[in-house]
Every structure is written in C-alpha cells, then in structure tokens.
C-alpha cells in the first residue's frame, strides 16, 4: 500500500478493501526482473521484483533472496507526502493456511527484520505433489539506513517525505532459509549457500552488500539475453523464453552434499 498526502491506496493485493487502487500503467517481465508501474494524477510508482538468477555465478544463484524495490516520483510536478508499506504473509512458511506459525524479529546487524515459520518445524517430513514447504523460515528485511518502521507482524513502513519529480527509492529483501533442502540417498542435504556453514544473517548481509552491483548485472544480462532471443525468434518468442527462464530457475535449487 501507499499513502499519498494522507490518503491510503492499494498497489498490489485486495486489502484494505476500502482503499482505492492506483491504476496499473504497465508490467514488464525480464529473465531476472518483473517491473510493475502504477500511476494516478499525483504520483508515479515503479515496483521491481529482482531475483538474481545468474547461471554463471552459483553463489549468487543459490541465494534464497528476492529484492523488492519501490521508486516513487511526482506525476504532476508538485511535491507530495508519500509513505509506502509492504506486508509479508505467513503463507510463505506453511503448507496450508491453517497451520500455526511463530513470528519474531531476530537481531541482525544493519537490518530491521521480521521472521516467520511453522511452529512444528517438521524438516523434510513431507513428500509428494501439490505441497508447499513448511519448515525453515521466511524473512522480510529492510536496511536500517532506510529508516524502516516495523508496524506489525511482517509489516514494514517507509516514510519517503515530500516526493517531487526526482525519484525516491527504497528496497527490502525477501528471503527463505529452508535449513535442509532434500533427502538424497538417506542423507539430508544443506542448501548450496549453506555449504560452508553460513547462516541466514550471512546471506542477508551479503545480499544487501551486493544489491547495487547485482541490479546492474541483472539489467545487462536481461537485455543481452532478450536481444539474442529476439534475433532468433522475434519479440513474442523472447517474451515466452523470459517466462520459461523464470519458471525453470524457480522450480529448482542447488544443494550440497557432505563434500560440498
């Protein structure tokens, strides 16, 4: 949601139902980014979901982190008071919505963090189709330098102040620590990013450190790959391949055995 000059608007989602929705002005799907654009008569918003699925860098590819970035600017040339709010639902950490969860706010240097996980934590206890992970923990983390305000379980708010024609940006990190990824020939395998003993705090710290550089790398990768695909099969083919790329990497992950 976003509050403009004191009035609340919906950007994504259906709640609160009594808040007007800012019209969506466009959406672009790249191999590593999805960019939504919204605008009303007062403010323009860009909302970017960035998952740096770079196949040449396994350390980055294996990080279970997606960046969500907001960019706001005035649409009418006048300054407007803008606050943005993002909420993470507990459904990210359970198989079915009725499962009980536990929220907490772990202390991680340089961040304001919300964490949620199922109470039972039955690691690798489920198998089969049509299942969602219900062990490990989902994280919503904001760099402390952006002065985020924690307003409730899984909710972060940012006050952008008076926003004019110059864009103002904020971002958060969505992460998931699954503790163990798969059972392979009877052995529980750690996710690849954990192979050297790293913890969730380590991966969040590294992801934030690399954010600006990864944003540039992903932009260059997306543009180069889609240009190649367009030359081979045209723009519609390139658009289909961008979706297929996203689905392929979202449906698989890297794990490490005892030898790394």
């Amino acid at each position: 949601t976003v509050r403009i000059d004191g009035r609340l608007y919906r950007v994504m989602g259906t709640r609160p139902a009594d808040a007007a929705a800012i019209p969506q002005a466009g959406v672009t799907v790249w191999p590593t980014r999805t960019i939504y654009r919204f605008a009303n008569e007062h403010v323009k918003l860009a909302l970017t979901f960035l998952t740096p699925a770079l196949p040449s860098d396994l350390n980055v590819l294996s990080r279970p982190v997606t960046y969500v970035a907001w960019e706001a600017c005035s649409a009418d040339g006048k300054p407007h008071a803008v606050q943005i709010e993002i909420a993470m639902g507990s459904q990210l950490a359970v198989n079915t919505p009725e499962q009980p969860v536990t929220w907490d706010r772990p202390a991680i240097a340089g961040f304001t963090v919300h964490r949620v996980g199922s109470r039972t934590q039955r690691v690798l206890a489920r198998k089969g189709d049509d299942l969602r992970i219900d062990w490990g923990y989902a994280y919503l983390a904001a760099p402390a330098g952006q002065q985020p305000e924690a307003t409730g379980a899984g909710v972060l708010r940012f006050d952008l102040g008076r926003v004019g024609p110059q864009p103002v940006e904020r971002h958060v990190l969505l992460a998931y620590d699954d503790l163990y990824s798969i059972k392979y020939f009877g052995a529980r395998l750690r996710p690849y990013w954990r192979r050297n003993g790293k913890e969730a705090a380590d991966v969040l710290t590294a992801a934030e450190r690399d954010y600006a550089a990864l944003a540039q790398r992903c932009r260059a990768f997306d543009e180069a790959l889609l240009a190649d695909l367009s030359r081979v099969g045209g723009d519609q083919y390139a658009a289909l391949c961008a979706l297929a790329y996203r689905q392929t990497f979202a449906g698989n992950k890297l794990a490490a055995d005892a030898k790394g």
Side-chain angles (χ1 to χ4, degrees), residues 186-206:
R188 290 180 171 187
L189 300 193
R190 291 287 196 184
Y192 185 81
W193 64 269
R194 265 184 172 270
R195 70 195 183 281
N196 295 322
K198 291 183 178 179
E199 301 290 345
D202 300 313
V203 81
L204 288 171
T205 300

Side-chain angles (χ1 to χ4, degrees), residues 168-222:
V168 179
E169 192 262 353
R170 296 288 187 274
H171 69 272
V172 299
L173 288 71
L174 290 173
Y176 204 100
D177 178 9
D178 57 353
L179 307 177
Y180 289 89
S181 297
I182 62 170
K183 188 177 289 184
Y184 184 68
F185 287 99
R188 290 180 171 187
L189 300 193
R190 291 287 196 184
Y192 185 81
W193 64 269
R194 265 184 172 270
R195 70 195 183 281
N196 295 322
K198 291 183 178 179
E199 301 290 345
D202 300 313
V203 81
L204 288 171
T205 300
E208 176 59 24
R209 178 198 65 211
D210 297 343
Y211 171 58
L214 285 175
Q216 291 184 345
R217 289 173 61 188
C218 287
R219 189 179 304 113
F221 176 82
D222 288 345

